[in-house]
PDB file of all heavy atoms in Angstrom:
ATOM      1  N   ALA A 197       8.823   7.777   6.467  1.00 74.00           N
ATOM      2  CA  ALA A 197       8.439   6.770   7.472  1.00 74.00           C
ATOM      3  C   ALA A 197       9.074   5.439   7.145  1.00 74.00           C
ATOM      4  O   ALA A 197       9.525   4.737   8.075  1.00 74.00           O
ATOM      5  CB  ALA A 197       6.917   6.632   7.482  1.00 74.00           C
ATOM      6  N   VAL A 198       9.134   5.043   5.866  1.00 79.00           N
ATOM      7  CA  VAL A 198       9.753   3.820   5.546  1.00 79.00           C
ATOM      8  C   VAL A 198      11.218   3.815   5.853  1.00 79.00           C
ATOM      9  O   VAL A 198      11.761   2.848   6.460  1.00 79.00           O
ATOM     10  CB  VAL A 198       9.567   3.499   4.019  1.00 79.00           C
ATOM     11  CG1 VAL A 198      10.366   2.294   3.577  1.00 79.00           C
ATOM     12  CG2 VAL A 198       8.076   3.309   3.702  1.00 79.00           C
ATOM     13  N   LEU A 199      11.912   4.903   5.526  1.00 81.00           N
ATOM     14  CA  LEU A 199      13.335   5.001   5.840  1.00 81.00           C
ATOM     15  C   LEU A 199      13.553   4.982   7.362  1.00 81.00           C
ATOM     16  O   LEU A 199      14.470   4.300   7.855  1.00 81.00           O
ATOM     17  CB  LEU A 199      13.894   6.337   5.256  1.00 81.00           C
ATOM     18  CG  LEU A 199      15.363   6.604   5.616  1.00 81.00           C
ATOM     19  CD1 LEU A 199      16.274   5.517   5.118  1.00 81.00           C
ATOM     20  CD2 LEU A 199      15.783   7.960   5.026  1.00 81.00           C
ATOM     21  N   ASP A 200      12.739   5.674   8.118  1.00 74.00           N
ATOM     22  CA  ASP A 200      12.931   5.773   9.553  1.00 74.00           C
ATOM     23  C   ASP A 200      12.788   4.356  10.203  1.00 74.00           C
ATOM     24  O   ASP A 200      13.527   3.980  11.077  1.00 74.00           O
ATOM     25  CB  ASP A 200      11.960   6.751  10.170  1.00 74.00           C
ATOM     26  CG  ASP A 200      12.408   7.248  11.527  1.00 74.00           C
ATOM     27  OD1 ASP A 200      13.614   7.373  11.722  1.00 74.00           O
ATOM     28  OD2 ASP A 200      11.520   7.505  12.385  1.00 74.00           O
ATOM     29  N   GLY A 201      11.811   3.613   9.730  1.00 70.00           N
ATOM     30  CA  GLY A 201      11.571   2.311  10.265  1.00 70.00           C
ATOM     31  C   GLY A 201      12.627   1.317   9.868  1.00 70.00           C
ATOM     32  O   GLY A 201      12.827   0.282  10.552  1.00 70.00           O
ATOM     33  N   ALA A 202      13.350   1.557   8.766  1.00 75.00           N
ATOM     34  CA  ALA A 202      14.319   0.601   8.254  1.00 75.00           C
ATOM     35  C   ALA A 202      15.764   1.018   8.526  1.00 75.00           C
ATOM     36  O   ALA A 202      16.693   0.375   8.020  1.00 75.00           O
ATOM     37  CB  ALA A 202      14.113   0.445   6.738  1.00 75.00           C
ATOM     38  N   ARG A 203      15.972   2.049   9.318  1.00 74.00           N
ATOM     39  CA  ARG A 203      17.319   2.532   9.534  1.00 74.00           C
ATOM     40  C   ARG A 203      18.322   1.470   9.999  1.00 74.00           C
ATOM     41  O   ARG A 203      19.416   1.345   9.536  1.00 74.00           O
ATOM     42  CB  ARG A 203      17.334   3.717  10.526  1.00 74.00           C
ATOM     43  CG  ARG A 203      16.943   5.031   9.916  1.00 74.00           C
ATOM     44  CD  ARG A 203      17.032   6.169  10.929  1.00 74.00           C
ATOM     45  NE  ARG A 203      16.227   5.886  12.120  1.00 74.00           N
ATOM     46  CZ  ARG A 203      16.272   6.618  13.223  1.00 74.00           C
ATOM     47  NH1 ARG A 203      17.075   7.653  13.292  1.00 74.00           N
ATOM     48  NH2 ARG A 203      15.485   6.352  14.234  1.00 74.00           N
ATOM     49  N   ALA A 204      17.840   0.676  10.974  1.00 71.00           N
ATOM     50  CA  ALA A 204      18.705  -0.363  11.504  1.00 71.00           C
ATOM     51  C   ALA A 204      19.118  -1.364  10.437  1.00 71.00           C
ATOM     52  O   ALA A 204      20.236  -1.813  10.377  1.00 71.00           O
ATOM     53  CB  ALA A 204      18.056  -1.063  12.687  1.00 71.00           C
ATOM     54  N   ALA A 205      18.129  -1.763   9.637  1.00 73.00           N
ATOM     55  CA  ALA A 205      18.398  -2.772   8.575  1.00 73.00           C
ATOM     56  C   ALA A 205      19.299  -2.229   7.490  1.00 73.00           C
ATOM     57  O   ALA A 205      20.061  -2.971   6.894  1.00 73.00           O
ATOM     58  CB  ALA A 205      17.063  -3.280   7.998  1.00 73.00           C
ATOM     59  N   LEU A 206      19.217  -0.915   7.247  1.00 79.00           N
ATOM     60  CA  LEU A 206      19.943  -0.315   6.155  1.00 79.00           C
ATOM     61  C   LEU A 206      21.362   0.154   6.566  1.00 79.00           C
ATOM     62  O   LEU A 206      22.164   0.472   5.726  1.00 79.00           O
ATOM     63  CB  LEU A 206      19.228   0.859   5.553  1.00 79.00           C
ATOM     64  CG  LEU A 206      17.936   0.523   4.773  1.00 79.00           C
ATOM     65  CD1 LEU A 206      17.252   1.811   4.350  1.00 79.00           C
ATOM     66  CD2 LEU A 206      18.271  -0.377   3.576  1.00 79.00           C
ATOM     67  N   GLY A 207      21.596   0.165   7.858  1.00 74.00           N
ATOM     68  CA  GLY A 207      22.890   0.688   8.353  1.00 74.00           C
ATOM     69  C   GLY A 207      24.082  -0.033   7.746  1.00 74.00           C
ATOM     70  O   GLY A 207      25.078   0.584   7.370  1.00 74.00           O
ATOM     71  N   GLY A 208      23.988  -1.373   7.694  1.00 73.00           N
ATOM     72  CA  GLY A 208      25.080  -2.108   7.156  1.00 73.00           C
ATOM     73  C   GLY A 208      25.281  -2.010   5.644  1.00 73.00           C
ATOM     74  O   GLY A 208      26.330  -2.341   5.102  1.00 73.00           O
ATOM     75  N   VAL A 209      24.252  -1.563   4.966  1.00 78.00           N
ATOM     76  CA  VAL A 209      24.271  -1.459   3.502  1.00 78.00           C
ATOM     77  C   VAL A 209      24.774  -0.043   3.083  1.00 78.00           C
ATOM     78  O   VAL A 209      25.635   0.077   2.216  1.00 78.00           O
ATOM     79  CB  VAL A 209      22.891  -1.690   2.909  1.00 78.00           C
ATOM     80  CG1 VAL A 209      22.920  -1.559   1.397  1.00 78.00           C
ATOM     81  CG2 VAL A 209      22.383  -3.061   3.291  1.00 78.00           C
ATOM     82  N   LEU A 210      24.250   0.986   3.745  1.00 81.00           N
ATOM     83  CA  LEU A 210      24.549   2.350   3.365  1.00 81.00           C
ATOM     84  C   LEU A 210      25.727   2.912   4.097  1.00 81.00           C
ATOM     85  O   LEU A 210      26.339   3.883   3.651  1.00 81.00           O
ATOM     86  CB  LEU A 210      23.304   3.221   3.562  1.00 81.00           C
ATOM     87  CG  LEU A 210      22.125   2.919   2.629  1.00 81.00           C
ATOM     88  CD1 LEU A 210      20.900   3.713   3.044  1.00 81.00           C
ATOM     89  CD2 LEU A 210      22.458   3.198   1.191  1.00 81.00           C
ATOM     90  N   GLY A 211      26.018   2.400   5.287  1.00 80.00           N
ATOM     91  CA  GLY A 211      27.142   2.904   6.068  1.00 80.00           C
ATOM     92  C   GLY A 211      26.962   4.418   6.331  1.00 80.00           C
ATOM     93  O   GLY A 211      25.871   4.867   6.742  1.00 80.00           O
ATOM     94  N   GLY A 212      28.016   5.167   6.060  1.00 80.00           N
ATOM     95  CA  GLY A 212      27.928   6.598   6.347  1.00 80.00           C
ATOM     96  C   GLY A 212      26.896   7.326   5.481  1.00 80.00           C
ATOM     97  O   GLY A 212      26.511   8.458   5.795  1.00 80.00           O
ATOM     98  N   ASP A 213      26.528   6.739   4.330  1.00 86.00           N
ATOM     99  CA  ASP A 213      25.519   7.399   3.499  1.00 86.00           C
ATOM    100  C   ASP A 213      24.134   7.381   4.074  1.00 86.00           C
ATOM    101  O   ASP A 213      23.256   8.110   3.573  1.00 86.00           O
ATOM    102  CB  ASP A 213      25.476   6.685   2.121  1.00 86.00           C
ATOM    103  CG  ASP A 213      26.646   7.091   1.189  1.00 86.00           C
ATOM    104  OD1 ASP A 213      27.184   8.176   1.414  1.00 86.00           O
ATOM    105  OD2 ASP A 213      26.949   6.314   0.281  1.00 86.00           O
ATOM    106  N   LEU A 214      23.929   6.578   5.120  1.00 86.00           N
ATOM    107  CA  LEU A 214      22.606   6.528   5.747  1.00 86.00           C
ATOM    108  C   LEU A 214      22.226   7.886   6.345  1.00 86.00           C
ATOM    109  O   LEU A 214      21.083   8.386   6.124  1.00 86.00           O
ATOM    110  CB  LEU A 214      22.538   5.452   6.830  1.00 86.00           C
ATOM    111  CG  LEU A 214      21.193   5.298   7.565  1.00 86.00           C
ATOM    112  CD1 LEU A 214      20.097   4.959   6.598  1.00 86.00           C
ATOM    113  CD2 LEU A 214      21.292   4.211   8.633  1.00 86.00           C
ATOM    114  N   ALA A 215      23.159   8.516   7.003  1.00 86.00           N
ATOM    115  CA  ALA A 215      22.900   9.838   7.588  1.00 86.00           C
ATOM    116  C   ALA A 215      22.654  10.862   6.485  1.00 86.00           C
ATOM    117  O   ALA A 215      21.782  11.729   6.604  1.00 86.00           O
ATOM    118  CB  ALA A 215      24.051  10.299   8.483  1.00 86.00           C
ATOM    119  N   ARG A 216      23.426  10.764   5.405  1.00 88.00           N
ATOM    120  CA  ARG A 216      23.227  11.700   4.294  1.00 88.00           C
ATOM    121  C   ARG A 216      21.888  11.459   3.630  1.00 88.00           C
ATOM    122  O   ARG A 216      21.149  12.442   3.346  1.00 88.00           O
ATOM    123  CB  ARG A 216      24.325  11.473   3.221  1.00 88.00           C
ATOM    124  CG  ARG A 216      24.166  12.377   2.026  1.00 88.00           C
ATOM    125  CD  ARG A 216      25.306  12.138   1.015  1.00 88.00           C
ATOM    126  NE  ARG A 216      24.966  12.755  -0.283  1.00 88.00           N
ATOM    127  CZ  ARG A 216      25.043  12.167  -1.413  1.00 88.00           C
ATOM    128  NH1 ARG A 216      25.489  10.906  -1.502  1.00 88.00           N
ATOM    129  NH2 ARG A 216      24.731  12.773  -2.547  1.00 88.00           N
ATOM    130  N   LEU A 217      21.424  10.230   3.489  1.00 90.00           N
ATOM    131  CA  LEU A 217      20.147   9.911   2.953  1.00 90.00           C
ATOM    132  C   LEU A 217      19.012  10.490   3.809  1.00 90.00           C
ATOM    133  O   LEU A 217      18.084  11.099   3.288  1.00 90.00           O
ATOM    134  CB  LEU A 217      19.964   8.401   2.802  1.00 90.00           C
ATOM    135  CG  LEU A 217      18.608   7.937   2.265  1.00 90.00           C
ATOM    136  CD1 LEU A 217      18.284   8.509   0.894  1.00 90.00           C
ATOM    137  CD2 LEU A 217      18.547   6.412   2.242  1.00 90.00           C
ATOM    138  N   ALA A 218      19.145  10.344   5.107  1.00 86.00           N
ATOM    139  CA  ALA A 218      18.153  10.851   6.015  1.00 86.00           C
ATOM    140  C   ALA A 218      18.053  12.368   5.917  1.00 86.00           C
ATOM    141  O   ALA A 218      16.941  12.960   5.904  1.00 86.00           O
ATOM    142  CB  ALA A 218      18.473  10.449   7.468  1.00 86.00           C
ATOM    143  N   ARG A 219      19.197  13.031   5.796  1.00 85.00           N
ATOM    144  CA  ARG A 219      19.189  14.502   5.656  1.00 85.00           C
ATOM    145  C   ARG A 219      18.497  14.900   4.340  1.00 85.00           C
ATOM    146  O   ARG A 219      17.727  15.885   4.298  1.00 85.00           O
ATOM    147  CB  ARG A 219      20.592  15.064   5.721  1.00 85.00           C
ATOM    148  CG  ARG A 219      21.232  15.113   7.097  1.00 85.00           C
ATOM    149  CD  ARG A 219      22.422  15.958   7.155  1.00 85.00           C
ATOM    150  NE  ARG A 219      23.502  15.490   6.253  1.00 85.00           N
ATOM    151  CZ  ARG A 219      24.394  14.572   6.614  1.00 85.00           C
ATOM    152  NH1 ARG A 219      24.444  14.084   7.819  1.00 85.00           N
ATOM    153  NH2 ARG A 219      25.317  14.189   5.749  1.00 85.00           N
ATOM    154  N   LEU A 220      18.812  14.206   3.269  1.00 88.00           N
ATOM    155  CA  LEU A 220      18.201  14.505   1.988  1.00 88.00           C
ATOM    156  C   LEU A 220      16.673  14.374   2.050  1.00 88.00           C
ATOM    157  O   LEU A 220      15.929  15.196   1.533  1.00 88.00           O
ATOM    158  CB  LEU A 220      18.759  13.585   0.885  1.00 88.00           C
ATOM    159  CG  LEU A 220      20.197  13.872   0.435  1.00 88.00           C
ATOM    160  CD1 LEU A 220      20.697  12.802  -0.462  1.00 88.00           C
ATOM    161  CD2 LEU A 220      20.323  15.237  -0.208  1.00 88.00           C
ATOM    162  N   VAL A 221      16.223  13.300   2.663  1.00 84.00           N
ATOM    163  CA  VAL A 221      14.782  13.057   2.789  1.00 84.00           C
ATOM    164  C   VAL A 221      14.135  14.120   3.655  1.00 84.00           C
ATOM    165  O   VAL A 221      13.063  14.677   3.287  1.00 84.00           O
ATOM    166  CB  VAL A 221      14.479  11.670   3.297  1.00 84.00           C
ATOM    167  CG1 VAL A 221      12.982  11.479   3.635  1.00 84.00           C
ATOM    168  CG2 VAL A 221      14.950  10.594   2.285  1.00 84.00           C
ATOM    169  N   ASP A 222      14.797  14.441   4.755  1.00 78.00           N
ATOM    170  CA  ASP A 222      14.222  15.491   5.651  1.00 78.00           C
ATOM    171  C   ASP A 222      14.131  16.852   4.948  1.00 78.00           C
ATOM    172  O   ASP A 222      13.224  17.639   5.242  1.00 78.00           O
ATOM    173  CB  ASP A 222      15.111  15.638   6.895  1.00 78.00           C
ATOM    174  CG  ASP A 222      14.963  14.468   7.874  1.00 78.00           C
ATOM    175  OD1 ASP A 222      13.964  13.691   7.754  1.00 78.00           O
ATOM    176  OD2 ASP A 222      15.812  14.323   8.772  1.00 78.00           O
ATOM    177  N   ASP A 223      15.071  17.093   4.017  1.00 75.00           N
ATOM    178  CA  ASP A 223      15.089  18.382   3.306  1.00 75.00           C
ATOM    179  C   ASP A 223      14.276  18.307   1.993  1.00 75.00           C
ATOM    180  O   ASP A 223      14.307  19.231   1.187  1.00 75.00           O
ATOM    181  CB  ASP A 223      16.545  18.790   2.970  1.00 75.00           C
ATOM    182  CG  ASP A 223      17.310  19.145   4.193  1.00 75.00           C
ATOM    183  OD1 ASP A 223      16.676  19.460   5.253  1.00 75.00           O
ATOM    184  OD2 ASP A 223      18.559  19.091   4.171  1.00 75.00           O
ATOM    185  N   PHE A 224      13.577  17.160   1.794  1.00 77.00           N
ATOM    186  CA  PHE A 224      12.746  16.973   0.580  1.00 77.00           C
ATOM    187  C   PHE A 224      13.586  17.013  -0.710  1.00 77.00           C
ATOM    188  O   PHE A 224      13.068  17.361  -1.755  1.00 77.00           O
ATOM    189  CB  PHE A 224      11.593  18.004   0.528  1.00 77.00           C
ATOM    190  CG  PHE A 224      10.712  17.917   1.697  1.00 77.00           C
ATOM    191  CD1 PHE A 224      10.832  18.797   2.754  1.00 77.00           C
ATOM    192  CD2 PHE A 224       9.676  16.963   1.729  1.00 77.00           C
ATOM    193  CE1 PHE A 224       9.944  18.736   3.854  1.00 77.00           C
ATOM    194  CE2 PHE A 224       8.848  16.863   2.841  1.00 77.00           C
ATOM    195  CZ  PHE A 224       8.968  17.753   3.894  1.00 77.00           C
ATOM    196  N   GLU A 225      14.861  16.648  -0.569  1.00 86.00           N
ATOM    197  CA  GLU A 225      15.719  16.541  -1.762  1.00 86.00           C
ATOM    198  C   GLU A 225      15.551  15.124  -2.319  1.00 86.00           C
ATOM    199  O   GLU A 225      16.458  14.295  -2.279  1.00 86.00           O
ATOM    200  CB  GLU A 225      17.182  16.843  -1.370  1.00 86.00           C
ATOM    201  CG  GLU A 225      17.449  18.191  -0.878  1.00 86.00           C
ATOM    202  CD  GLU A 225      17.388  19.246  -2.004  1.00 86.00           C
ATOM    203  OE1 GLU A 225      17.452  18.816  -3.203  1.00 86.00           O
ATOM    204  OE2 GLU A 225      17.307  20.428  -1.759  1.00 86.00           O
ATOM    205  N   TYR A 226      14.343  14.856  -2.815  1.00 86.00           N
ATOM    206  CA  TYR A 226      13.981  13.501  -3.144  1.00 86.00           C
ATOM    207  C   TYR A 226      14.762  12.941  -4.334  1.00 86.00           C
ATOM    208  O   TYR A 226      15.011  11.725  -4.431  1.00 86.00           O
ATOM    209  CB  TYR A 226      12.485  13.366  -3.393  1.00 86.00           C
ATOM    210  CG  TYR A 226      11.647  13.413  -2.113  1.00 86.00           C
ATOM    211  CD1 TYR A 226      10.286  13.462  -2.197  1.00 86.00           C
ATOM    212  CD2 TYR A 226      12.265  13.357  -0.870  1.00 86.00           C
ATOM    213  CE1 TYR A 226       9.511  13.491  -1.044  1.00 86.00           C
ATOM    214  CE2 TYR A 226      11.515  13.395   0.293  1.00 86.00           C
ATOM    215  CZ  TYR A 226      10.161  13.474   0.215  1.00 86.00           C
ATOM    216  OH  TYR A 226       9.368  13.497   1.371  1.00 86.00           O
ATOM    217  N   GLU A 227      15.097  13.804  -5.327  1.00 90.00           N
ATOM    218  CA  GLU A 227      15.801  13.303  -6.508  1.00 90.00           C
ATOM    219  C   GLU A 227      17.190  12.805  -6.126  1.00 90.00           C
ATOM    220  O   GLU A 227      17.620  11.714  -6.533  1.00 90.00           O
ATOM    221  CB  GLU A 227      15.903  14.413  -7.546  1.00 90.00           C
ATOM    222  CG  GLU A 227      16.550  13.966  -8.837  1.00 90.00           C
ATOM    223  CD  GLU A 227      16.456  15.012  -9.947  1.00 90.00           C
ATOM    224  OE1 GLU A 227      15.750  15.997  -9.770  1.00 90.00           O
ATOM    225  OE2 GLU A 227      17.195  14.845 -10.956  1.00 90.00           O
ATOM    226  N   ALA A 228      17.911  13.584  -5.296  1.00 91.00           N
ATOM    227  CA  ALA A 228      19.257  13.148  -4.898  1.00 91.00           C
ATOM    228  C   ALA A 228      19.116  11.923  -3.992  1.00 91.00           C
ATOM    229  O   ALA A 228      19.986  11.013  -4.043  1.00 91.00           O
ATOM    230  CB  ALA A 228      19.913  14.308  -4.127  1.00 91.00           C
ATOM    231  N   ALA A 229      18.130  11.895  -3.145  1.00 91.00           N
ATOM    232  CA  ALA A 229      17.925  10.728  -2.288  1.00 91.00           C
ATOM    233  C   ALA A 229      17.644   9.517  -3.104  1.00 91.00           C
ATOM    234  O   ALA A 229      18.187   8.392  -2.834  1.00 91.00           O
ATOM    235  CB  ALA A 229      16.800  10.975  -1.278  1.00 91.00           C
ATOM    236  N   ARG A 230      16.792   9.655  -4.115  1.00 93.00           N
ATOM    237  CA  ARG A 230      16.488   8.504  -5.021  1.00 93.00           C
ATOM    238  C   ARG A 230      17.754   8.000  -5.695  1.00 93.00           C
ATOM    239  O   ARG A 230      17.995   6.751  -5.761  1.00 93.00           O
ATOM    240  CB  ARG A 230      15.498   8.982  -6.090  1.00 93.00           C
ATOM    241  CG  ARG A 230      15.114   7.862  -7.084  1.00 93.00           C
ATOM    242  CD  ARG A 230      14.673   8.509  -8.379  1.00 93.00           C
ATOM    243  NE  ARG A 230      15.766   9.312  -9.016  1.00 93.00           N
ATOM    244  CZ  ARG A 230      15.550  10.261  -9.935  1.00 93.00           C
ATOM    245  NH1 ARG A 230      14.346  10.549 -10.280  1.00 93.00           N
ATOM    246  NH2 ARG A 230      16.587  10.917 -10.416  1.00 93.00           N
TER     247      ARG A 230
END
Side-chain angles (χ1 to χ4, degrees):
V198 173
L199 175 61
D200 202 31
R203 281 183 303 171
L206 291 176
V209 179
L210 294 173
D213 281 338
L214 179 60
R216 179 179 167 228
L217 176 60
R219 285 195 298 272
L220 288 171
V221 172
D222 286 345
D223 292 339
F224 300 99
E225 297 286 346
Y226 285 173
E227 184 174 346
R230 178 206 61 201

